[in-house]
């Protein structure tokens, strides 16, 4: 069993493991999937979706339409801050119980991520509808 103090101290950093894994998976999919021409559309879109899940503030920063170093820095920086904040919030919620475990922490983080990632999907749907007209 984990100690609540350990979960509170390491929770924000532990939340960074998920976006790191998503970025790694997106890179493997984008660069490791053999394709040519129009066959590359699906792996590219899947990689982009994984990157959006890892950097949820990318759409707010104007990516992919405004590809500028400041936009990239803004998206990465604000997403990093957001992940640290969500990890801290999940750690606080999980350790309200004296018998807190990392499983409790993961459940609290997953609950928040449903909302964040649901917002990304809704945002992409709105952008898709806007671009289709």
């Amino acid at each position: 069993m984990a100690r609540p103090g350990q979960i509170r101290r390491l929770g924000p950093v532990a939340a960074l493991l998920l976006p790191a894994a998503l970025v790694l998976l997106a890179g493997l999919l984008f660069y490791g999937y053999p394709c040519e021409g129009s066959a590359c559309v699906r792996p590219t879109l899947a990689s982009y979706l994984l990157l959006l899940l890892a950097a949820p503030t990318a759409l707010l920063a104007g990516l992919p339409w405004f590809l500028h170093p400041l936009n990239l820095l803004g998206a990465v920086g604000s997403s990093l801050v957001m992940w640290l904040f969500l990890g801290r919030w999940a750690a606080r919620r999980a350790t309200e119980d004296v018998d807190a475990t990392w499983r409790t922490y993961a459940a609290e983080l997953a609950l928040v991520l449903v909302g964040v990632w649901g917002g990304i999907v809704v945002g992409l749907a709105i952008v898709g509808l806007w671009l289709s007209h």
Side-chain angles (χ1 to χ4, degrees):
M1 182 182 325
R3 297 183 315 223
Q6 182 183 26
I7 294 173
R8 280 195 183 193
R9 187 174 61 254
L10 297 176
V13 178
L16 295 176
L17 295 175
L18 187 58
L22 289 171
V23 168
L24 180 66
L25 185 60
L28 289 174
L29 182 63
F30 186 74
Y31 292 111
Y33 192 82
C35 62
E36 289 185 23
S38 63
C40 292
V41 170
R42 282 192 177 159
T44 301
L45 287 177
S47 296
Y48 181 64
L49 179 64
L50 289 172
L51 286 175
L52 280 180
L53 296 179
T57 60
L59 285 177
L60 293 174
L63 298 177
W65 297 280
F66 304 110
L67 199 56
H68 188 271
L70 289 177
N71 292 71
L72 290 171
L73 184 65
V76 170
S78 59
S79 292
L80 179 68
V81 168
M82 189 190 87
W83 279 105
L84 290 170
F85 176 76
L86 292 179
R88 180 176 165 86
W89 184 85
R92 288 264 183 197
R93 294 267 306 168
T95 56
E96 286 177 356
D97 184 12
V98 204
D99 297 328
T101 63
W102 284 105
R103 184 179 299 231
T104 312
Y105 168 80
E108 292 292 340
L109 188 60
L111 182 66
V112 176
L113 289 181
V114 167
V116 170
W117 288 347
I120 290 171
V121 171
V122 169
L124 284 175
I126 291 170
V127 167
L129 287 172
W130 181 59
L131 289 176
S132 68
H133 286 116

